[in-house]
Amino acid sequence: MTVAYEYRPGLEGVPATQSSISYVDGQRGILEYQGIRIDNLAKYSSFLETAYLLIWGELPTQGELDSFEYEIRYHRRLKYRIRDMMKCFPESGHPMDSLQACAAALGLFYSRRALDDPAYIRAAVVRLLAKIPTMVAAFQLMRKGNDPIQPRDDLDYSANFLYMLTEREPDELAAKIFDVCLILHAEHTINASTFSAMVTASTLTDPYAVIASAVGTLAGPLHGGASEEVIVMLEEIGSVENVRPFVEKCIERKARIMGFGHRVYKVKDPRATILQALAEKLFEKFGQDIYYDIAIELEKVVAEKLGHRGIYPNVDFYSGLVYRKLRIPTDLYTPMFAIARVAGWLAHWKEQLEENRIFRPTQIYTGLHDHPYIPIEKRMMPTSAQSAVEAMVP
Ligand SMILES: CC(=O)SCCNC(=O)CCNC(=O)[C@H](O)C(C)(C)COP(=O)(O)OP(=O)(O)OC[C@H]1O[C@@H](n2cnc3c(N)ncnc32)[C@H](O)[C@@H]1OP(=O)(O)O
Ligand SMILES: O=C([O-])CC(=O)C(=O)O
């Protein structure tokens, strides 16, 4: 019997799971983690408290938060074999590729797989949250020819990351703002990388493979990779006067304007609004950014030309302007995103295990049936390929 399925490219609007981790109202621009509005978390929480909330479903008590932070501090260091492995990576490689390889490599050290043991789950959560920032910072120092520096136990999660990255104790405001950025990027329902994590998790493989596949998915320019593309685009635009012709050219050529548009939001992403305010706070303390005026004009012109289609700034639009002021190199913006999103990936991993069924969707077959097998000597080369080969022959 043939069953008729409705095919939705990109699975738009197709529920892939039931989840209580986060909620998005794309028409009203609302994002909640476990029911708590993102603006409240940005104002009052810390990244580790938010990660705990996402993964265990409730805000921790002071005692629970202290133990969680303590465990994470204790697991921040990398094994020397991981650092040795990283020495073989090309300096010109992308930091997301390094991160994906390092996350996957953790599986070599922690091969016991006890997915129904809460202690195993907690150890994996702690290890991944603790070590991912160290992996990102180590790659940055190693590609400059320096040895990675050890984490500092007297610094909190975000301050310690900036310290390991820059080899300097960070400014207090910079560390606080970076922590808020992590909260904002920590989770976002069934986005592409989270879906990838859930598909991998559903095979009951280890959590390091789950996170490695999510990192690989986040890297693409249509997803987390857009944050660095935004800065490249602002550089290319170069001046406020060039914004309008740039947008018009993109529309004419059907080219994507990076940092705009979203599958779910049809208004400005609430995280973009908060990130813009954070960027402004940094400008007040450390001076303006030459690209900010271009970004503002771009937001205005895109709203004018594409607002009727629901195309507004997404989370990746203003994050780069914040990271530039924090002196973070452009190709580390997506790894910054991964440092945060690992919390959401782990929350979905844990939730997936609680009621697992392997992901195995169907397809609508569009190919041939009962096609004959033609022996190789009888196969004809398509005419176009033939003329290409002939053109190559001197
Ligand atoms: C963390 C994140 O992942 S946030 C997203 C980061 N990605 C980006 O910023 C890249 C730019 N944005 C995009 O490519 C898209 O908006 C996505 C990938 C985010 C969402 O894609 P989808 O929901 O699949 O929308 P889709 O690609 O079908 O676009 C719908 C229409 O809007 C247009 N559109 C969507 N985004 C943009 C954009 N940024 N610039 C110009 N046009 C756009 C498309 O060209 C398409 O037009 P058409 O119907 O005439 O062909
Ligand atoms: O939800 C999405 O499709 C993209 C995403 O990860 C985000 O916006 O944070």
Side-chain angles (χ1 to χ4, degrees):
M1 190 183 75
T2 316
V3 184
Y5 295 102
E6 189 195 348
Y7 169 52
R8 303 254 192 133
L11 299 183
E12 180 168 3
V14 177
T17 191
Q18 302 193 87
S19 176
S20 60
I21 299 168
S22 65
Y23 169 80
V24 179
D25 179 333
Q27 300 297 333
R28 292 194 297 153
I30 292 173
L31 169 61
E32 293 172 342
Y33 295 170
Q34 304 284 4
I36 304 179
R37 292 278 278 260
I38 193 65
D39 35 336
N40 283 330
L41 289 166
K43 241 184 252 157
Y44 305 119
S45 189
S46 66
F47 172 64
L48 285 186
E49 183 185 62
T50 297
Y52 188 104
L53 168 75
L54 289 166
I55 297 166
W56 280 286
E58 293 180 350
L59 287 170
T61 61
Q62 188 62 58
E64 285 167 336
L65 183 60
D66 290 347
S67 324
F68 188 50
E69 287 180 349
Y70 175 81
E71 284 169 62
I72 286 180
R73 254 171 237 254
Y74 187 76
H75 284 280
R76 280 168 177 170
R77 284 165 181 72
L78 295 184
K79 290 191 179 293
Y80 79 87
R81 285 175 190 233
I82 299 255
R83 290 201 307 269
D84 283 355
M85 176 185 85
M86 292 177 78
K87 283 185 191 151
C88 303
F89 293 174
E91 307 81 54
S92 57
H94 197 283
M96 281 298 270
D97 293 325
S98 160
L99 182 59
Q100 187 181 26
C102 292
L106 283 181
L108 292 160
F109 297 95
Y110 308 104
S111 55
R112 187 179 82 94
R113 199 181 295 151
L115 299 175
D116 49 3
D117 175 358
Y120 173 86
I121 305 256
R122 177 148 180 140
V125 163
V126 164
R127 220 174 262 136
L128 279 156
L129 280 166
K131 293 191 192 303
I132 282 196
T134 317
M135 289 168 175
V136 173
F139 183 73
Q140 168 63 9
L141 294 199
M142 287 165 95
R143 71 178 170 175
K144 290 198 298 188
N146 301 352
D147 281 333
I149 55 175
Q150 292 297 342
R152 259 185 46 190
D153 289 345
D154 60 320
L155 295 177
D156 70 19
Y157 192 80
S158 291
N160 173 63
F161 170 70
L162 292 177
Y163 162 73
M164 289 190 302
L165 191 71
T166 59
E167 303 177 275
R168 277 199 315 263
E169 195 165 324
D171 170 85
E172 218 175 292
L173 176 73
K176 173 65 195 148
I177 285 186
F178 180 64
D179 199 66
V180 179
C181 290
L182 295 184
I183 296 174
L184 298 175
H185 286 85
E187 158 65 6
H188 210 254
T189 72
I190 312 301
N191 57 85
S193 55
T194 300
F195 186 45
S196 158
M198 286 165 57
V199 171
T200 308
S202 81
T203 70
L204 301 185
T205 186
D206 69 75
Y208 311 103
V210 169
I211 298 306
S213 56
V215 170
T217 309
L218 185 70
L222 294 186
H223 192 15
S227 54
E228 50 181 285
E229 300 290 335
V230 168
I231 295 299
V232 173
M233 174 184 72
L234 294 177
E235 283 168 0
E236 187 195 322
I237 296 174
S239 73
V240 171
E241 296 71 51
N242 288 343
V243 167
R244 192 168 287 274
F246 174 84
V247 172
E248 284 165 357
K249 197 168 77 187
C250 287
I251 294 174
E252 190 190 305
R253 296 183 180 173
K254 289 189 172 291
R256 304 281 157 139
I257 304 165
M258 301 316 273
F260 286 86
H262 198 280
R263 176 65 64 79
V264 187
Y265 291 116
K266 299 303 160 205
V267 294
K268 184 169 175 176
D269 185 325
R271 300 164 298 173
T273 307
I274 304 173
L275 283 161
Q276 183 175 2
L278 295 178
E280 283 175 359
K281 248 190 209 158
L282 286 172
F283 301 154
E284 269 167 34
K285 178 152 185 188
F286 301 111
Q288 268 291 342
D289 185 300
I290 47 163
Y291 295 125
Y292 188 53
D293 290 343
I294 302 176
I296 299 280
E297 179 70 6
L298 188 57
E299 179 175 348
K300 193 181 106 199
V301 178
V302 173
E304 190 189 298
K305 303 267 180 196
L306 296 171
H308 65 287
R309 306 189 59 189
I311 296 172
Y312 287 98
N314 60 46
V315 68
D316 288 330
F317 188 60
Y318 285 107
S319 59
L321 290 170
V322 173
Y323 296 148
R324 262 171 66 83
K325 264 295 122 171
L326 298 178
R327 295 167 171 265
I328 293 173
T330 314
D331 64 358
L332 290 183
Y333 299 172
T334 319
M336 306 289 110
F337 196 152
I339 290 173
R341 189 55 63 89
V342 75
W345 295 330
L346 288 167
H348 284 273
W349 168 60
K350 185 169 165 291
E351 190 177 64
Q352 180 65 33
L353 294 179
E354 282 158 15
E355 226 167 293
N356 188 54
R357 191 166 185 213
I358 192 165
F359 278 97
R360 203 317 180 180
T362 191
Q363 64 169 11
I364 293 169
Y365 180 62
T366 59
L368 304 166
H369 288 290
D370 283 336
H371 200 53
Y373 177 83
I374 302 170
I376 196 159
E377 63 281 4
K378 298 211 170 128
R379 286 175 216 162
M380 298 287 287
M381 202 185 273
T383 342
S384 56
Q386 186 122 31
S387 28
V389 170
E390 277 161 15
M392 278 160 61
V393 177

